[in-house]
Amino acid sequence: LVCVTTFLLIAQPASALEQQTTPIESSVPTFAELESARAVIRQIRINPQNIFDLADSEENNWLFRLANKLHVQTRPEVIEQILLFKRGERVSKQKIEETERLLRENRFLYDVEIKAMAYADGMVDIDVTTRDTWTIDVTGSVSRSGGDNKTSFGVSEHNLLGSGLHVGFSRTSDADRKGTEFEVSYPQAFDGWTNLSYTQGKFDDGKRQAVAILRPFYALDTRWAGGAAWNTDDRIDSIFNSGETASQYRHRQKIFEGYGGWSPGLIEGWTQRFLIGACIRNDVYLAEPGRTAPALLPVDQNLHAVFIKHELVEDRFVKLRNRDQIGRPEFFRFGFNSQVQITRSLESLGSTRSAWLYSAFASNGFSFASNRDLLVSGTVERRIASIGVPMTQIGGAVRYYIPQGSNALLFTSLSADRISGGGLADQLLLGGDDGLRGYKSRYQAGERRALLSIEERAYTGWYPFRLFRVGGAAFFDYGRAWGGLNQNTANPGWLADAGVGLRIAMDRASFGNVLHADIAVPLNRTPGIKSVQFVVKTEVTF
């Protein structure tokens, strides 16, 4: 992977809020104690910090000083809009902890600290200190995974002039298509929580355009949500067998969805949300000149429907380190979470057929002795298949974390899913990016799929140049996709691979993904499968 970052000189904006902090007083109670004392927030000081801490001798060098000088710090009012607590309100430990989670979700922030600084006469002052990431990303990359090469070049700014606005342009080339894409999004429009976004892409096999205005349930106590999204896509879709393209066809798609939602808020640690909306989806399939078409094209389909949705969220989040990231705080959802949506498609509204459709998701987390953590989830969905009739897909996943001291962990994941009633275009895929690192991408296909992955992870304290965090993994994968009309006849059985890999987390950049450099050996090899796969790619997690 080749990654080049370019610094651009931009004038610093004036601060809109006071940014001076007060020395910490040892007598200041904790937020839990302040809440019990019914303390009232007197003052909130916003203190955005630059990328590097020049008070730290290891970060006070000419390169980091230059980066700080060229970087436009996040505006204090951008941080203030995200805060769930306000001046004049009573202290709420829950709101302060949730605010930290929300702030850390922003790619332009590297670190967040919220502290009570002074307390007297029932009034408390709170300091919110954040540290920025480098947000201008000029990058070129070459990666390989599952036998496929992928190249990209792009330039993006994740925090334009410190405003939270994201603008980006990229050019990519992979096994499916190549082309360019432009995107812009502003997640703090209007009331500070409405996300406006626009994307336009042009590719060698078609084009894509998407527009959205979404005001989500951004916090557990948010009382309303609403939005609309529109998307058009014209592309070539492929059907694969043994990792090779077996047939292709043109797929033209138009989607519109609008919804509104209401919630009574956070009550005794639980949040319920109710949504109602309408959706339109039109799919057209055509044989493409010069491409091998499947024996049967997917069936054209119009879905015009109304839906209702219910969400249930338990407020139980746990702050951990060295799980899916290296050396950075992570918030894991250990509470119960469920989403159920029922959709009614009607011919009277313009649908191809009337049908009841649904989807449901549930997850929960459990903690055991020695800080062992188990996360489980399950899904079920009934949707219109590519052959024009309803199909059902069910699945489940388990993730198990077993810490071995502070710098090592045994991670195990198990997932399984199946479909019934689908066509060739609905098959489940396995291999490469879809799991099984030692095999080609999309090597197996079928109506059933199962995958077991075991990783021994190491999180080192090595922090080169104060920019990268380094880790490593030894892994074993075991899985299979089978059933249906498009099975891999050359190697249809259970497959396994083993290998080792390097993990490098790009710590101080808003595009801070984790670089994976793996060597994977397939253990069930047939002619056409390399004895060693070199996998280089970036992922969101370890």
Side-chain angles (χ1 to χ4, degrees):
L1 181 92
V2 179
C3 183
V4 180
T5 303
T6 303
F7 298 108
L8 300 180
L9 180 60
I10 307 175
Q12 294 278 3
S15 297
L17 299 175
E18 181 182 357
Q19 299 184 40
Q20 295 181 347
T21 60
T22 308
I24 298 175
E25 300 180 12
S26 59
S27 60
V28 176
T30 65
F31 284 122
E33 293 168 339
L34 289 167
E35 182 176 1
S36 297
R38 301 175 67 83
V40 174
I41 301 172
R42 176 175 56 194
Q43 187 175 15
I44 301 173
R45 289 183 288 257
I46 312 294
N47 187 23
Q49 298 290 302
N50 220 320
I51 305 168
F52 298 103
D53 182 6
L54 301 185
D56 185 339
S57 60
E58 295 190 49
E59 296 189 10
N60 191 354
N61 58 58
W62 71 268
L63 179 61
F64 292 173
R65 289 194 297 271
L66 178 62
N68 277 3
K69 184 176 181 180
L70 300 180
H71 172 68
V72 181
Q73 287 182 217
T74 302
R75 299 174 185 175
E77 58 266 29
V78 172
I79 304 298
E80 187 176 40
Q81 282 185 313
I82 301 174
L83 305 184
L84 300 180
F85 53 91
K86 308 296 180 185
R87 298 172 180 86
E89 294 181 350
R90 287 198 175 96
V91 171
S92 166
K93 179 175 178 288
Q94 185 277 329
K95 286 186 177 181
I96 290 169
E97 291 177 347
E98 187 173 8
T99 294
E100 181 184 350
R101 293 200 302 271
L102 292 175
L103 285 169
R104 288 187 181 277
E105 288 175 1
N106 289 278
R107 300 180 66 180
F108 53 81
L109 295 180
Y110 164 68
D111 200 11
V112 176
E113 186 175 51
I114 304 175
K115 287 189 175 181
M117 303 302 293
Y119 175 59
D121 301 323
M123 307 291 287
V124 63
D125 295 342
I126 296 177
D127 277 13
V128 179
T129 304
T130 62
R131 186 164 297 281
D132 282 2
T133 58
W134 180 257
T135 55
I136 301 175
D137 180 17
V138 180
T139 183
S141 68
V142 178
S143 63
R144 180 175 179 83
S145 177
D148 293 333
N149 294 320
K150 180 177 180 179
T151 62
S152 68
F153 170 82
V155 56
S156 62
E157 166 57 75
H158 297 279
N159 191 15
L160 185 65
L161 298 176
S163 67
L165 179 68
H166 170 235
V167 180
F169 171 84
S170 62
R171 181 173 183 85
T172 60
S173 176
D174 57 30
D176 296 319
R177 60 183 54 86
K178 60 182 179 180
T180 60
E181 189 166 77
F182 168 78
E183 60 178 337
V184 59
S185 64
Y186 183 46
Q188 291 185 303
F190 308 132
D191 59 352
W193 291 104
T194 301
N195 186 13
L196 304 178
S197 64
Y198 174 77
T199 302
Q200 180 173 309
K202 293 184 178 180
F203 306 93
D204 59 349
D205 66 342
K207 58 185 178 180
R208 183 169 83 92
Q209 191 173 39
V211 180
I213 174 171
L214 305 172
R215 204 257 192 189
F217 285 110
Y218 57 86
L220 293 173
D221 201 43
T222 301
R223 303 306 177 94
W224 68 274
W230 174 75
N231 179 75
T232 64
D233 201 353
D234 184 356
R235 64 181 187 268
I236 297 294
D237 282 348
S238 301
I239 294 175
F240 299 90
N241 187 278
S242 303
E244 305 295 335
T245 301
S247 58
Q248 295 181 307
Y249 54 90
R250 181 159 295 280
H251 182 186
R252 291 174 179 159
Q253 183 180 73
K254 293 182 179 180
I255 299 176
F256 170 81
E257 181 175 304
Y259 71 90
W262 169 84
S263 171
L266 182 62
I267 301 174
E268 297 182 352
W270 292 85
T271 294
Q272 289 194 78
R273 296 164 177 166
F274 305 88
L275 299 96
I276 186 169
C279 60
I280 298 173
R281 173 171 173 164
N282 300 325
D283 292 279
V284 176
Y285 304 93
L286 301 167
E288 181 71 6
R291 310 285 180 108
T292 301
L296 292 175
L297 281 170
V299 177
D300 294 351
Q301 192 72 213
N302 292 332
L303 176 70
H304 297 188
V306 293
F307 65 85
I308 57 174
K309 186 175 183 179
H310 176 264
E311 298 181 5
L312 180 64
V313 182
E314 182 183 6
D315 181 19
R316 190 159 65 93
F317 296 82
V318 179
K319 187 177 180 180
L320 301 169
R321 285 181 184 269
N322 285 346
R323 296 297 194 273
D324 292 332
Q325 300 292 329
I326 307 175
R328 298 188 65 176
E330 306 171 62
F331 287 93
F332 278 77
R333 187 191 295 268
F334 277 83
F336 180 77
N337 176 35
S338 70
Q339 300 177 16
V340 178
Q341 178 172 318
I342 298 175
T343 302
R344 179 57 172 168
S345 168
L346 294 168
E347 291 184 45
S348 59
L349 295 178
S351 290
T352 303
R353 65 169 61 234
S354 295
W356 286 101
L357 308 173
Y358 57 80
S359 64
F361 166 84
S363 67
N364 209 347
F366 306 90
S367 294
F368 302 101
S370 303
N371 295 320
R372 299 184 179 193
D373 302 317
L374 179 69
L375 302 176
V376 299
S377 63
T379 61
V380 59
E381 181 181 14
R382 180 177 170 84
R383 65 180 185 272
I384 300 297
S386 62
I387 55 178
V389 297
M391 61 167 281
T392 302
Q393 180 173 350
I394 61 172
V398 176
R399 292 182 292 159
Y400 192 34
Y401 299 83
I402 306 175
Q404 300 164 323
S406 59
N407 296 318
L409 177 142
L410 180 63
F411 171 73
T412 302
S413 67
L414 175 64
S415 62
D417 48 352
R418 65 172 296 175
I419 60 172
S420 58
L424 288 179
D426 307 302
Q427 298 287 283
L428 304 170
L429 303 174
L430 187 62
D433 287 337
D434 301 300
L436 288 175
R437 285 162 272 199
Y439 297 84
K440 295 181 179 180
S441 294
R442 300 159 289 206
Y443 185 62
Q444 288 186 334
E447 295 180 340
R448 301 181 183 184
R449 178 175 59 186
L451 177 65
L452 169 69
S453 292
I454 301 173
E455 288 189 356
E456 178 65 35
R457 297 177 173 180
Y459 311 87
T460 75
W462 191 26
Y463 198 9
F465 310 109
R466 310 283 284 188
L467 294 174
F468 310 102
R469 297 189 185 272
V470 180
F475 58 84
F476 172 79
D477 302 323
Y478 183 70
R480 185 188 181 196
W482 72 99
L485 302 175
N486 191 37
Q487 296 186 70
N488 181 331
T489 55
N491 200 356
W494 290 89
L495 305 177
D497 64 54
V500 295
L502 179 68
R503 304 289 182 265
I504 300 177
M506 292 165 274
D507 211 35
R508 298 299 185 99
S510 61
F511 41 94
N513 296 322
V514 180
L515 171 66
H516 289 223
D518 292 335
I519 299 174
V521 177
L523 302 181
N524 305 89
R525 191 163 65 91
T526 57
I529 297 296
K530 293 183 178 180
S531 58
V532 177
Q533 288 277 0
F534 296 95
V535 182
V536 180
K537 60 181 179 178
T538 56
E539 297 282 359
V540 176
T541 64
F542 201 100

